[in-house]
Amino acid sequence: MPQRHGVRRGFEVGQGALLYFTITLLLLALAELSRASLLYWAFGVMIGVLAVSLLLSWLMLRGLRVHRLAPVVAVAGEPLMLRYSIANPHRWLPVFGLVIQETWGRGQSGWRQSGPIAESPARLGGRPQGWVLHIGAGETIQAEAVCVPRRRGELAFETIIVSTSFPFGIIRGRLTVRQEASVLVYPRLLRMKKAVLTRVTTAQPRGGRHTDRSGGHEDFFGLRDYRPGDSLKSVHWRSAAHTGRLVTREMTRPSPPEVMIALDLRRDGDAADADSLAVENAISLAASLVCDAHNHGCRVGLTVLGAAGHTYPLHHGLPHRGRILEALASLPSARGGEGGEPASRVRGESPATTPPVPAGETPNAARHPSPVGEDADPLSPKGRGGKRRTAEPNVIVVAHGPCDPHPQQTPRDLRRAVVLDAAQLDEFAVATPGGAEALLRGRVAFPGKYHRAGAREGDR
Amino acid sequence: MNPDPLFRRMAYVLVFMGIVVFCAADRNPALLLIAGSLLALSWYVVDGPAGRPLPNWAINLGTIASTGWLIAELAARPMQYLGPMGHFITCLLVVVFYGRKTNREYGIVMVLSLLQVVGACMLSDSILSGVLLALYGLLMLFTVLLFQLKATGDQVRGANLAVSPGGAPEVRPPFGRGCRGDLRLGGAAIGAMIAVAAACVFLFMPRGLFIRPGSPFNMPPLSARSGFVGSIRLDGLAPDSGDREVLMHVRFSVAGAPATLPPGGWLLRGTGLDQYDPGLRTWTRSRRANMADNIIPLGGAGGVLAAGVPPSPALEADVTMRSCTHQCLYAPFPAQWVWAEGQGAVIYGGIDRGVRLIEPWGGVLHYRVRAPLEAGPATRNDPVPRAVMQPGPNATSGPIFETLSQAYAQGWQVSAEPIRNYARRLLRDKGVSRDTADAPTPRDAVLAEALADHLRAHYRYTPAAAAPGRARSGEPISSFLFESREGHCELFASGLAAMARSLGMTARLVSGYRVYEYNRVGGYYVVRPEHAHAWVEVYCGEGGWVTVDPTPPDISGDAQRDGGWLAWLGDVYEHVEYAWFSSVIAYDDHARDGVIETAKTSAQLAATVWMQGTMGSVTRYVEERVSNIFADGFNLAATGLITVALVMGVAGLVRILFVRRRRLSALQLGRMPLPQRRGLTRRLGFYLMMLDILEQHGHIRPPWQSPFAFAQKLVTADPVTFAPVPSITEMFYEVRFGGRATDPQRARWVDTQLDNLRHALMRRRAGRH
């Protein structure tokens, strides 16, 4: 395993050990003073306990192999389960009471001053800890440690400390394994109120729900020559009679509702840092909308106003949703942070003051570059490949404050968009513990179901 | 596996065991009863089904009350801190168990319990304490292991909860196969390692490494009821006769051979008391006697106390004092030579021939004294052999002795005339007389014996005191001689001394022990506090000091116990305790040096044998070792026997655990709770019997194979022979997983099936042959 290179061993002595040493010395003093032989025995037992503690804590950790099985992504505010595979190579010696702990700073003396806990604001509330009660000789076991990321972004793990104070808790043997990994933390995901998406999708000015592609069973699309395999029911007999050859009738495909989300991060240059929470709320709201729309079968797209390069056209699919969430997770924080841009630079609209974020700057964006160029109109009805669409997408503008569109800076289509103010988050979303997992794993609804259900349930 | 509930139960047992150890050492059954009851009640009150801990104010109140009791007890019993501290800890433990217990409280409880047991170690050195201590150590080991696992889990849980309050899911700790078994085996291995390490420390650690013996930092000896008193007070109260705890082990030998017991037993001299204070009614050692004290240095070969002794067979007493509560070294006669372990010098009384330590010595003391034994047959009237010794070069001698002894142990002022008249009348009845102005002569011994004969014949011995009113109304000696005519040994000795001194003889009281209890298994005498005794020594001029014991001899009628196996068992128990005491309690630097020397010798011998590598050398080695064992005596053999018994016991225990584990594995009950497991193990015994039968014929079910698959395999191999196996296996499943009860009818059916299987297998084997 790879951790053999960065393995260090050591021992820790805690407060319990100090108490133990005190009692041992007290026993020795009493034995010397009273000459009671049983006290010498007791002192010998204490020494034996100490020796066994030292020996076992060293032996049990010898050759132990630890491997972190971290997930690729996590959600801010939701428990992140880190898994560890621990193998006990001994033939006869079991391992008891293992504590697994994450730490940062290359395991050196200054490790307390770095890492996601030491950041401001902290990315994690504390070091993830897990424990294993017992690993039999020659067994491999999986342990879990839970942490809750507080912020979106990339969460880096550096070092694993495996320790045990078995059998007596006096001396803690420690094994430090350097093993780097990173987890991309999505923005906080909220459960959207149904009224939000209903309001957007039912406000579409045109009633069409059809694509400009054939292959469906909705409306008439056109005629073409018969191909073997076509159903006889689809033969347009009148045309066939006219032309003398079989002609097949093509119908349009149904088109799911489309939601284009515009995340408006533009702000005046003198905005205070206090707005960072609102910015994060807006990002969180946008991410939640993306997931909600995806789960309801909508084609969803995203454009970030104020951060050039983050534009994702309308599409439906898990990879597409993942790319959008990754982009949102990788957005620089308002305060600026690890690898992030200061908020004041992100908010500006002018290219001179707000340099575009190159698509390849973040690792996730590099893996999934934006399919639309920077110059493309994010709200253009052109779909992938530049085909014409039959309907304009519904547009939701997520702003991190009272929306005050400027004619010079706001695209024309935004004027008819539904605007969600992230400052009034409670009106649109409900934070539920564990809700993110349901959102990410939610089944995709039938495209039409949402509207029927939305019409029935309304603003419930 | 969840260590929490198991740990809580173990903690209760541990604390109870600690209280038992302490109460056994303190000999306080009442405290054990009360504390044990309260502790058991706390389980129901706090940890029961509807249990709830008491509020904090009640716990604080209990703690304050315990502290108050401690203060009161310390004030009432000054200089006795172990008992009160143990009582305080007991109360505190009981109180803590009624409150809410977190890991911190559990840690405190375990430390307090440990301290309590440490106190018990200092209070008692009996083998019972040793056994209880070993049990306690075993319990403590497993309790600490469980506590460590529990505390680690709680710590991780707390850290995770602090990181994500209410948000993080509960993570159950994973554990591998055979967790409980590994914990048991690991605990046993850890216990063995600790025992080995403790034995090494105990055997090879030098004593007094930091605090030398005799330094002012040494603790004063613990008070014990030894029965011995440095002064005799005749205040009408019964003397403190002590209890039956063994105080000394004494081996008497003459020229290397064990000495035979005189008819009246041996008298171990303690202190000579020559001065009687009528006001305090107390016999004490006079200032004149104190002035004659000499400090005799002791080398490795001991120190000579007196010289000028006529060559006669020397009586040697090898004494091991289990609890040296006084400075006095007891000797059967006025000692001529003494050696005391760890002592650089002793104080030797030039007049009264008593030997004392310079400083009080707490704990075990081993010493040897040698005295000339005057030959001559012992008679009934002279139950104790006489010893005659003159002052030697190291003692106060010559003119100084004469000066000091001019008025030593002479004269009598209390009711002198009536007592003198009484004594003269007694002597006249015997046909002898003595003038008060006569010088001491050997004839004085005869006169003293005549007086003692009268006391022995006409006075009644009673261990209780005379009637308090009578004793307090008048002078106790006069009251004993003329009114009550009954009393204990101190009154007898005082009466004889008063009569002798009123007649002008030089006489003194001697306090010490009468030794008559012989351990036939160990070949030594046992001295207990209840053997404390007082007698008289009369100075006979050239004849020296003659011992006269006026106490009726019937008090020593139980010199030997009645025979029978009970007495033999008692001797065996005492000898085991003696072996424990001599090998553990009395282990000191001297013994350590011996062990190291023995180890060196054995290693050299073994190396020699190894190098030579011949059978003859091995034989010689074995012979030498065996002869050494016999030369060392019974102690080593007994220790070996105990060791073998212990090893066999441990092996048996390991075997029981192994068989139990194998049965559980065969029945697939490893992960089942203990109560259900017990019932099922009993009900599924028939399946184990079937497995045993099959195993005897070479059909072993591997651990990974299910019973059903095993039965299928057997039936497929031989449907006729193994026909009963599937039906028994089916019943196994019904009982094991279906919860079916076994009735007598089904039990008979199972027996029949097993018999069929057994016979079928035997037929099969016979057919093969």
Side-chain angles (χ1 to χ4, degrees), chain B residues 279-542:
Chain B
L280 297 174
R281 301 172 179 178
T282 304
W283 285 94
T284 55
R285 193 165 183 259
S286 67
R287 184 169 164 270
R288 185 171 283 105
N290 290 334
M291 284 173 62
D293 284 345
N294 295 275
I295 293 180
I296 309 295
L298 299 182
V304 177
L305 303 174
V309 182
S312 63
L315 174 69
E316 184 169 315
D318 191 342
V319 183
T320 306
M321 292 182 73
R322 294 177 55 159
S323 177
C324 182
T325 54
H326 293 84
Q327 292 173 252
C328 201
L329 296 184
Y330 304 95
F333 302 117
Q336 178 200 7
W337 170 89
V338 67
W339 170 86
E341 188 174 346
Q343 303 295 320
V346 292
I347 299 175
Y348 179 61
I351 298 180
D352 57 10
R353 311 297 189 232
V355 186
R356 301 198 317 279
L357 299 175
I358 295 176
E359 292 289 339
W361 180 266
V364 183
L365 180 66
H366 181 215
Y367 66 92
R368 285 197 292 272
V369 289
R370 198 179 295 155
L373 179 67
E374 187 185 44
T379 63
R380 190 180 182 285
N381 291 332
D382 185 14
V384 179
R386 297 178 182 180
V388 182
M389 188 171 59
Q390 299 295 331
N394 290 328
T396 308
S397 58
I400 301 175
F401 171 72
E402 297 302 327
T403 307
L404 286 174
S405 61
Q406 276 177 1
Y408 176 75
Q410 292 177 3
W412 189 255
Q413 288 81 32
V414 183
S415 305
E417 198 59 30
I419 291 177
R420 185 181 302 115
N421 293 336
Y422 182 61
R424 280 178 177 166
R425 197 178 72 234
L426 292 179
L427 290 180
R428 198 182 312 127
D429 293 344
K430 299 273 183 184
V432 290
S433 63
R434 188 188 194 280
D435 191 37
T436 53
D438 290 349
T441 61
R443 185 168 162 270
D444 287 348
V446 178
L447 302 180
E449 275 299 335
L451 294 174
D453 275 345
H454 178 77
L455 291 179
R456 282 195 289 262
H458 298 94
Y459 286 69
R460 192 167 70 91
Y461 174 81
T462 171
R470 191 189 299 169
R472 290 183 186 282
S473 62
E475 211 286 324
I477 298 175
S478 303
S479 175
F480 165 75
L481 286 176
F482 304 124
E483 297 175 19
S484 66
R485 293 174 177 266
E486 64 176 20
H488 43 75
C489 60
E490 294 171 353
L491 286 171
F492 275 90
S494 301
L496 177 61
M499 286 193 288
R501 285 168 72 159
S502 67
L503 289 174
M505 288 190 272
T506 303
R508 67 187 174 204
L509 254 68
V510 179
S511 65
Y513 293 94
R514 176 189 287 273
V515 182
Y516 52 85
E517 189 175 329
Y518 185 67
N519 189 301
R520 284 163 292 185
V521 178
Y524 50 81
Y525 289 90
V526 177
V527 181
R528 305 177 191 277
E530 64 182 2
H531 296 161
H533 191 45
W535 60 93
V536 177
E537 285 181 349
V538 178
Y539 185 62
C540 302
E542 295 175 356

Side-chain angles (χ1 to χ4, degrees), chain B residues 596-761:
Chain B
I596 292 174
E597 191 60 35
T598 306
K600 277 182 187 173
T601 311
S602 299
Q604 287 170 357
L605 222 59
T608 309
V609 169
W610 181 258
M611 291 300 288
Q612 292 176 353
T614 58
M615 200 61 197
S617 300
V618 173
T619 310
R620 277 198 302 277
Y621 173 75
V622 172
E623 282 176 355
E624 190 171 347
R625 295 311 303 162
V626 170
S627 63
N628 280 345
I629 286 172
F630 281 110
D632 289 346
F634 192 80
N635 287 338
L636 206 53
T639 309
L641 280 177
I642 292 170
T643 308
V644 169
L646 279 176
V647 168
M648 288 176 67
V650 171
L653 195 64
V654 169
R655 187 178 180 281
I656 289 171
L657 288 174
F658 177 74
V659 170
R660 189 164 164 265
R661 186 176 178 183
R662 185 171 158 268
R663 289 166 67 96
L664 290 176
S665 171
L667 297 176
Q668 302 180 346
L669 298 176
R671 291 175 184 266
M672 184 170 280
L674 190 61
Q676 299 177 26
R677 189 195 295 171
R678 281 181 185 154
L680 272 177
T681 309
R682 194 170 53 251
R683 284 158 55 197
L684 292 173
F686 65 90
Y687 186 73
L688 289 175
M689 287 175 66
M690 187 193 79
L691 290 182
D692 287 343
I693 293 170
L694 290 172
E695 196 171 325
Q696 287 169 8
H697 292 81
H699 305 284
I700 300 171
R701 180 169 75 87
W704 48 265
Q705 197 170 33
S706 70
F708 177 75
F710 181 56
Q712 285 287 333
K713 177 188 154 195
L714 291 178
V715 169
T716 308
D718 189 346
V720 177
T721 307
F722 298 108
V725 174
S727 52
I728 295 177
T729 306
E730 188 178 349
M731 187 170 173
F732 164 75
Y733 276 106
E734 286 176 2
V735 176
R736 167 68 180 83
F737 299 105
R740 181 166 187 168
T742 51
D743 50 7
Q745 187 180 354
R746 292 183 69 82
R748 281 195 296 275
W749 176 82
V750 167
D751 289 343
T752 308
Q753 293 291 320
L754 289 174
D755 284 343
N756 292 340
L757 177 64
R758 194 178 290 114
H759 292 148
L761 285 167

Side-chain angles (χ1 to χ4, degrees), chain B residues 553-602:
Chain B
D554 53 350
I555 66 161
S556 56
D558 57 345
Q560 289 296 324
R561 292 182 196 173
D562 295 337
W565 63 274
L566 274 177
W568 183 81
L569 277 183
D571 283 351
V572 168
Y573 171 76
E574 280 185 357
H575 184 61
V576 168
E577 196 177 37
Y578 173 69
W580 154 264
F581 179 82
S582 57
S583 57
V584 176
I585 303 297
Y587 190 84
D588 51 13
D589 280 336
H590 180 72
R592 184 179 68 91
D593 295 341
V595 166
I596 292 174
E597 191 60 35
T598 306
K600 277 182 187 173
T601 311
S602 299

